[in-house]
Amino acid sequence: MRNNTLIPSLILVITGILLFATCRKQNDILLKKYQPTGCDVLNGQYNNVKRISPEEQQIVLRRGGGKTRDTDRDGVLDGNDNCSVTFNPDQLDSDKDGIGDACDATPFPPVVGTGPWVIFLDFDGHYISETEWTSQNGGLPFYATPSGLSSTEIKNIVDSVTTDFAQFKNINVTTDSNAYNSASVVRRQRVVITQYNEWYGNVGGVSYIESIKWGNNVACFVFSKALSYNQKRIAECISHETGHTLGLYHQITCSSTGAFVAEYNAGTGNSTTGRAPIMGNSYARPGYWWIGPNSFGCTNIQNDSLIIRNLVGY
């Protein structure tokens, strides 16, 4: 159960960009709700080097003479090997997609949970045609490429996100597209984990506030390449962006005198025993749902868990 109450005297002071330093009028809040929230927790310091995928590795090796070469020395020639750069003499392919389990990003049946509110973690790539996002890409639809993550990395990330939402019994965190497709259109959210962030820019992720209720399949995004394929950062970013889609704003840092300090509260303590708000910057510390001031000012207190429960139930 991840919950924590903000203690102003213990807030870590970090530099940040002032987005909302004072309380805003209701119409400003509504305006913000219908604009995409790009989350620049790393202050522009993002990776731009893409991993080469197993599929791309296969193509390169086969062009180089796969008919007579056995690169991974597993007894299967590259031209017939479903993981030509990874030792897998058994050639297991659980999902029958032509890529062996040993190098497949998603080799096993999807994670299937229960609950009427569905958070679908999509690591496999997705075609984007909704105007809310094509408007950020010159009006053009685009393909959000797969995550570039290994099966082990994906499992670890899914486990972490599932833990973050475990206290909300009506929320089903899943990698099963069937669960998403069968859910109510106003109770489901697709989270696309993709290497392709160039269409939006240097942020770790982007989402719309309360989009889970819109009923028009607007996804939110987490950019794996920009986050250096770091499992901890990606998992925290998924929970963070999902939090936005459920109605949460950023947890900010304020001084002991109530003055704005930073847009992202980075919490306190070290990387193992410390605490940080998921809706702040939890990349370096364990993330928790928080109670503290949000983007609309140091006197505007946001109780993350309560807001989610008021939406999805207990």
Side-chain angles (χ1 to χ4, degrees):
M1 303 286 181
R2 293 188 171 191
N3 271 308
N4 195 39
T5 301
L6 179 79
I7 303 175
S9 62
L10 296 180
I11 296 174
L12 179 65
V13 177
I14 60 173
T15 58
I17 300 173
L18 176 59
L19 297 183
F20 296 95
T22 59
C23 293
R24 298 286 179 164
K25 297 178 181 178
Q26 184 64 26
N27 61 338
D28 291 327
I29 295 176
L30 292 175
L31 178 62
K32 175 77 172 176
K33 187 180 297 185
Y34 295 106
Q35 294 175 341
T37 301
C39 299
D40 185 13
V41 175
L42 297 180
N43 200 25
Q45 303 302 308
Y46 295 93
N47 173 57
N48 62 5
V49 179
K50 179 183 176 183
R51 282 180 173 177
I52 184 169
S53 69
E55 295 92 333
E56 292 167 330
Q57 291 174 345
Q58 300 270 28
I59 292 171
V60 170
L61 287 166
R62 287 170 182 170
R63 284 176 178 171
K67 293 182 178 180
T68 58
R69 181 181 301 171
D70 180 12
T71 301
D72 57 12
R73 300 181 181 181
D74 60 3
V76 182
L77 295 179
D78 290 349
N80 299 318
D81 196 338
N82 60 18
C83 281
S84 55
V85 295
T86 303
F87 184 84
N88 67 326
D90 56 20
Q91 295 289 287
L92 287 177
D93 181 10
S94 298
D95 57 5
K96 310 300 181 184
D97 64 353
I99 302 173
D101 291 356
C103 62
D104 192 349
T106 54
F108 307 114
V111 176
V112 181
T114 60
W117 293 79
V118 173
I119 307 300
F120 171 42
L121 307 187
D122 187 351
F123 293 89
D124 298 332
H126 186 62
Y127 183 76
I128 306 300
S129 59
E130 293 78 19
T131 57
E132 288 82 358
W133 293 125
T134 59
S135 63
Q136 307 294 316
N137 190 47
L140 299 174
F142 59 92
Y143 178 62
T145 58
S147 65
L149 299 164
S150 71
S151 58
T152 299
E153 289 169 324
I154 289 174
K155 182 181 184 304
N156 292 340
I157 289 166
V158 172
D159 287 348
S160 178
V161 175
T162 300
T163 298
D164 284 343
F165 287 94
Q167 65 176 280
F168 309 110
K169 301 306 180 184
N170 285 333
I171 292 181
N172 170 17
V173 177
T174 182
T175 58
D176 182 11
S177 60
N178 291 324
Y180 174 83
N181 292 330
S182 62
S184 166
V185 294
V186 293
R187 290 187 173 188
R188 67 186 188 187
Q189 181 65 53
R190 182 189 297 266
V191 184
V192 178
I193 301 93
T194 176
Q195 297 180 90
Y196 179 45
N197 68 305
E198 287 78 7
W199 66 275
Y200 192 82
N202 264 355
V203 294
V206 63
S207 54
Y208 281 93
I209 303 292
E210 292 187 352
S211 62
I212 195 170
K213 301 191 300 182
W214 290 2
N216 58 356
N217 298 316
V218 171
C220 68
F221 296 87
V222 171
F223 301 124
S224 55
K225 171 170 64 67
L227 295 172
S228 301
Y229 305 99
N230 181 291
Q231 296 174 63
K232 163 68 170 169
R233 289 179 176 179
I234 292 169
E236 296 295 338
C237 192
I238 290 171
S239 295
H240 180 110
E241 298 303 334
T242 302
H244 283 315
T245 72
L246 292 165
L248 302 180
Y249 293 86
H250 291 150
Q251 290 281 354
I252 66 173
T253 302
C254 296
S255 71
S256 59
T257 60
F260 176 90
V261 175
E263 177 68 13
Y264 300 97
N265 182 348
T268 61
N270 61 36
S271 61
T272 56
T273 62
R275 292 169 176 259
I278 291 170
M279 297 311 298
N281 175 4
S282 54
Y283 287 172
R285 297 176 178 86
Y288 292 82
W289 301 114
W290 211 256
I291 301 174
N294 71 7
S295 298
F296 294 98
C298 292
T299 60
N300 201 67
I301 303 302
Q302 173 176 286
N303 183 326
D304 295 343
S305 291
L306 182 60
I307 290 172
I308 295 174
R309 290 185 189 281
N310 284 342
L311 177 64
V312 306
Y314 286 78

